[in-house]
Amino acid sequence: MSGREVIVLSVGGVRFVTRTSTLQRFPESRLARMVNNNDQEFKLVNGEFFVDRDGALFSYIMDFLRTLQVSLPTDFSDYQRLQREAEFYGLYPLADLLSQEHLLKPRLEILEVRFSLQEMQTFFRIFGSCSTTIEALAGQITVFIGQQSGQGWNSPFPSQKPLVPLPLERPSHHDMVFLCGTEYSAGDQFVARYVSIKPDNRKLINGTNVLGLLFDTLLKDGFRLLSTRTVSSEEKVECYTFERMKRAAGLAIMVNQTPGSSGVAQARRSQVQKGK
């Protein structure tokens, strides 16, 4: 049987097709012994190995064998059952990783937007529990400054004069501050600040429009609006709180397949950063 390149397994009624080498990734595991006909509990029926175990959980075991990483859905909760399945198959490195449940669970990420609408200017302050999210958002937001005459300051379109990008104010790694709108300058001139949020190409001067585009951007990035409250009625400061489940860093193992070594004995843990 070990000479076959492809093997079919029926686990709890769920069919899996994989390479023989994938099942032999850990030579001391029961799956590797099954391929070599050294484990009688796995019965060969009509050319397929029948395994009377949980087929849904086995899909995560197959993913681990293919990638050497534990990557679970954000709503996954059966850590103990999956650990028990890993132990049944003799995949002790996987069982060891699953015992670190606190590292595998997704974490709640909070982002807060403070919005203060004044007569001619709007102030924004964004605070996030995850500094990498704030860093990414800061890379999307650009403030442009330019001068306009008094007759055209509230035009929805920028003046023909070139606009100069301004760096965002970053009080810390976890927040950013910017504003849009206008303020008086010398004579009949106004200083105008426009805000652009990628991938949208518009330059917006109206604070309410900027807030709407910011909401759109956050919702598309997986956040949901959790609450709205008035921080200061006198200063017209509104606070919007968003949340999303941030996928945890995937745990992985590195296997040293040196001659005479066992994949299990040479396994060591490392962390692999996953996306949002």
Side-chain angles (χ1 to χ4, degrees), residues 36-243:
N36 297 322
N37 295 321
N38 291 330
D39 195 313
Q40 298 303 314
E41 187 164 343
F42 299 96
K43 302 295 184 182
L44 192 61
V45 180
N46 297 326
E48 300 181 4
F49 281 104
F50 174 74
V51 187
D52 191 16
R53 303 293 294 191
D54 191 307
L57 291 178
F58 190 73
S59 64
Y60 300 117
I61 289 175
M62 284 302 308
D63 183 62
F64 171 76
L65 289 174
R66 289 165 177 151
T67 66
L68 295 181
Q69 297 180 22
V70 183
S71 301
L72 301 172
T74 54
D75 59 350
F76 186 82
S77 59
D78 288 339
Y79 293 93
Q80 291 184 349
R81 289 182 60 213
L82 184 55
Q83 183 179 353
R84 187 172 66 231
E85 292 298 294
E87 291 171 349
F88 170 80
Y89 291 109
L91 295 170
Y92 298 109
L94 174 57
D96 184 38
L97 296 184
L98 289 167
S99 68
Q100 303 177 72
E101 183 178 333
H102 64 288
L103 296 177
L104 290 167
K105 283 186 175 180
R107 298 176 182 178
L108 184 65
E109 182 179 353
I110 299 295
L111 188 139
E112 182 180 275
V113 177
R114 292 203 174 197
F115 170 79
S116 178
L117 184 61
Q118 307 299 323
E119 290 184 4
M120 299 175 64
Q121 291 183 318
T122 305
F123 296 82
F124 291 85
R125 182 161 192 163
I126 303 176
F127 174 85
S129 60
C130 178
S131 61
T132 55
T133 297
I134 293 297
E135 193 69 35
L137 192 57
Q140 292 178 260
I141 299 174
T142 306
V143 177
F144 296 90
I145 188 170
Q147 292 226 340
Q148 293 185 315
S149 65
Q151 289 77 20
W153 70 268
N154 59 353
S155 168
F157 302 102
S159 67
Q160 296 303 312
K161 295 180 181 180
L163 298 177
V164 179
L166 290 177
L168 297 179
E169 184 181 343
R170 296 291 305 277
S172 75
H173 293 297
H174 287 272
D175 60 347
M176 71 179 80
V177 178
F178 62 93
L179 59 88
C180 63
T182 62
E183 61 182 343
Y184 288 105
S185 183
D188 66 344
Q189 296 293 307
F190 289 83
V191 175
R193 287 180 173 85
Y194 298 85
V195 174
S196 175
I197 305 177
K198 296 177 182 177
D200 195 294
N201 294 320
R202 292 174 296 168
K203 295 180 176 66
L204 305 175
I205 195 171
N206 182 281
T208 304
N209 292 341
V210 173
L211 183 66
L213 180 56
L214 179 60
F215 274 30
D216 245 10
T217 303
L218 294 175
L219 293 174
K220 288 177 181 177
D221 200 27
F223 284 95
R224 71 181 186 95
L225 182 60
L226 186 63
S227 66
T228 303
R229 73 181 191 277
T230 300
V231 178
S232 171
S233 56
E234 293 180 358
E235 298 179 1
K236 300 179 181 178
V237 180
E238 299 289 333
C239 179
Y240 304 90
T241 303
F242 295 81
E243 70 171 12

Side-chain angles (χ1 to χ4, degrees), residues 13-24:
V14 183
R15 195 167 180 265
F16 296 88
V17 180
T18 187
R19 292 180 179 275
T20 302
S21 57
T22 300
L23 297 176
Q24 293 175 322

